[in-house]
Amino acid sequence: VQESVTILSKNRPETDWAFMVVLQTYLGFHTHKPIDLNRLNRCREVFHRNHDTWKEAFVLEGLALSAADQSDGSSVEANKDELKRRLACAKESLILRMNNGDSWGLAMSYTMLASIVKEQGRLDDARKYLQKSLMLRRNFGEDLDGVIDCLLGLSRIEHSIGRLSAAVDHARE
């Protein structure tokens, strides 16, 4: 990925270069390197300016996921603001995915939204988002990992609100 970024920075179709920067950033995220939110926002601007809504939705999802790691935890208000910002990114990504008719992206967006609203204590909303994601993923027929993630997420939610029978049912499925 680093070599691609270097090559594309010289002869760059702007959106291809920005996409490689996003991938490079995501790889860093998965190797526990700090995320540069400004860098992701600059890439987002490139995609927006070039009307590349698929890539814009993709980087918005990264902003929604990685933003949590940028919070210093200094205050409850700072964390609330961070969650609101993450939620706004996730919702914007969802809208772009809907407008593009991207079912796979919608499933990803619903799962991400479920995670964020669960952090806010909105378990009913989290359940609804996971159910929407699960329905889409089952229709794909090829996304066993996604189906399992949704079922386990639903199981955790049911368990946390005391609906143990429903939790067990989701986990068994």
Side-chain angles (χ1 to χ4, degrees):
V1 172
Q2 179 60 47
E3 187 175 334
S4 297
V5 169
T6 303
I7 291 168
L8 287 170
S9 67
K10 295 174 186 166
N11 309 318
R12 62 175 160 176
E14 190 176 35
T15 57
D16 292 345
W17 171 81
F19 190 64
M20 291 308 296
V21 169
V22 171
L23 290 178
Q24 180 185 39
T25 303
Y26 286 5
L27 287 173
F29 173 73
H30 290 293
T31 58
H32 306 292
K33 292 181 182 174
I35 298 297
D36 183 345
L37 295 179
N38 291 327
R39 188 178 196 193
L40 289 179
N41 276 312
R42 286 191 307 272
C43 292
R44 179 188 174 205
E45 290 169 8
V46 168
F47 301 140
H48 185 76
R49 185 172 54 250
N50 286 280
H51 308 286
D52 192 334
T53 56
W54 188 90
K55 290 176 185 167
E56 185 177 359
F58 186 72
V59 77
L60 279 163
E61 290 162 5
L63 286 164
L65 288 172
S66 61
D69 295 335
Q70 305 303 312
S71 177
D72 63 6
S74 60
S75 73
V76 172
E77 279 306 310
N79 288 334
K80 284 182 182 177
D81 289 345
E82 186 63 22
L83 281 172
K84 285 179 188 175
R85 193 182 81 64
R86 290 176 57 210
L87 185 60
C89 288
K91 284 183 174 181
E92 192 170 348
S93 175
L94 179 74
I95 290 167
L96 289 171
R97 298 291 193 190
M98 283 180 178
N99 291 340
N100 287 340
D102 179 2
S103 297
W104 181 81
L106 276 173
M108 297 293 292
S109 291
Y110 282 131
T111 301
M112 183 182 353
L113 279 165
S115 174
I116 294 168
V117 298
K118 184 179 178 218
E119 286 180 59
Q120 293 177 323
R122 297 169 42 200
L123 299 180
D124 285 337
D125 289 335
R127 182 188 312 117
K128 289 174 189 171
Y129 286 134
L130 281 174
Q131 288 169 336
K132 288 179 181 183
S133 181
L134 180 60
M135 181 189 69
L136 288 167
R137 291 170 187 277
R138 282 185 167 150
N139 288 337
F140 300 152
E142 300 174 0
D143 189 10
L144 184 59
D145 289 337
V147 168
I148 290 169
D149 287 342
C150 288
L151 289 169
L152 290 175
L154 286 166
S155 179
R156 283 188 212 95
I157 289 169
E158 297 295 357
H159 181 266
S160 64
I161 59 176
R163 296 172 60 181
L164 301 182
S165 179
V168 170
D169 290 344
H170 286 303
R172 281 189 180 147
E173 189 179 343

